Amino acid sequence: MTLVVVTGMPGAGSSTVVKEGLKRCGERCGEGERERAGGFTPLNYGDVMFEAAKEEGLVESRDEMRRLPGEKQREIQLLACHKIAELERGGKRKGGEKSKNLIIDTHCTVKTRFGYLPGLPERVLRVLKPDLFVLVEAEPAEISRRRQTDKTRQRDVEAEKSIEEHQFMNRAVSMAYACLTSASVKIIENHQGELERAAEEFSALLKALSES
Ligand code: AMP
Ligand code: MG
């Protein structure tokens, strides 16, 4: 089982790069050959957290989660990581075979009103044991523009300076995560109009990983 953690601050386009990258893997390998190409399954950490937070009647939209009290966010974060680990174990039990490789789409840090909340604190890393961290990045001006045009989400309006700080914190903490797990960190740039190039880079990375 290989576990790739893909992160990117809101508006960097990490979910889009994962989706497009996997599409390319599928196209390149053809249906029957997916397993050989790594058979990566994507999973959104925010989805698992949102499910748990909704069940507890805490939020109605996913963008309300980062506004919850810090302790509540940490509690749901840990709950979600155990749910993901359970999914992995379940996969193994069901077929009796090696479980599928996983891509977890999440955040290095979540910007809350109490400051930067680590998305993958030690207790989460210990459970998930990632093999690789991928950081999807863009220029602060690009991120700001994307957030303004995304009508599907309640994205925060942030000054470019503050987006730059957030991205810096994500880089710094990703190396700390790497030190704790021995995994490496790969940065993929996702600039405006260059999604294809970013998706290609991501899909080539998955291919190389599955062949290593
Ligand atoms: P997303 O759709 O990826 O922007 O995630 C939605 C929300 O899920 C985020 O705004 C956070 O509140 C929460 N979330 C996702 N991943 C994590 C994580 N690793 N730790 C804490 N909160 C997270
Ligand atoms: Mg996303």
Side-chain angles (χ1 to χ4, degrees):
M1 233 280 307
T2 303
L3 196 151
V4 179
V5 170
V6 181
T7 66
M9 59 185 300
S14 56
S15 306
T16 315
V17 170
V18 167
K19 198 166 133 234
E20 290 301 313
L22 282 176
K23 223 195 264 175
R24 270 166 180 68
C25 283
E27 281 161 12
R28 193 167 29 218
C29 316
E31 270 305 297
E33 290 182 297
R34 265 202 73 128
E35 277 307 311
R36 251 197 288 156
F40 281 92
T41 305
L43 185 65
N44 187 299
Y45 206 106
D47 283 349
V48 184
M49 279 186 63
F50 184 37
E51 229 15 80
K54 253 194 317 190
E55 271 168 27
E56 288 193 28
L58 293 169
V59 294
E60 283 175 13
S61 95
R62 60 196 296 127
D63 288 308
E64 286 172 52
M65 288 193 291
R66 63 178 176 273
R67 296 173 187 129
L68 286 170
E71 205 35 60
K72 248 314 160 232
Q73 291 187 57
R74 279 188 281 271
E75 198 183 302
I76 307 166
Q77 180 188 56
L78 192 62
L79 207 75
C81 115
H82 284 295
K83 277 193 180 201
I84 293 170
E86 189 55 42
L87 279 178
E88 286 178 45
R89 278 197 292 274
K92 259 183 210 157
R93 268 202 309 269
K94 227 204 254 155
E97 73 220 16
K98 199 166 163 268
S99 66
K100 280 207 179 350
N101 295 331
L102 206 60
I103 296 172
I104 298 183
D105 176 0
T106 185
H107 299 280
C108 273
T109 64
V110 176
K111 199 166 196 169
T112 75
R113 65 199 144 105
F114 316 100
Y116 294 105
L117 179 92
L120 299 147
E122 196 193 356
R123 58 186 181 174
V124 169
L125 289 175
R126 240 188 275 133
V127 175
L128 296 180
K129 303 186 188 73
D131 297 284
L132 176 68
F133 295 96
V134 177
L135 264 61
V136 176
E137 295 188 346
E139 293 300 328
E142 294 172 321
I143 289 175
S144 176
R145 226 171 302 126
R146 287 175 194 164
R147 284 187 189 176
Q148 283 164 31
T149 49
D150 184 357
K151 302 289 175 226
T152 66
R153 301 287 300 265
Q154 295 152 28
R155 302 285 200 197
D156 293 328
V157 179
E158 250 186 299
E160 286 177 26
K161 195 103 193 88
S162 140
I163 294 176
E164 191 183 335
E165 179 189 275
H166 192 172
Q167 216 156 229
F168 169 81
M169 296 300 269
N170 287 344
R171 277 192 179 193
V173 83
S174 70
M175 278 321 296
Y177 297 157
C179 287
L180 287 168
T181 54
S182 301
S184 48
V185 175
K186 169 87 179 161
I187 296 176
I188 293 184
E189 294 183 21
N190 180 31
H191 297 300
Q192 214 50 30
E194 293 180 19
L195 173 63
E196 293 212 351
R197 197 204 51 75
E200 189 53 45
E201 194 177 347
F202 182 58
S203 112
L205 183 67
L206 294 184
K207 186 166 182 279
L209 250 185
S210 61
E211 287 168 358
S212 67

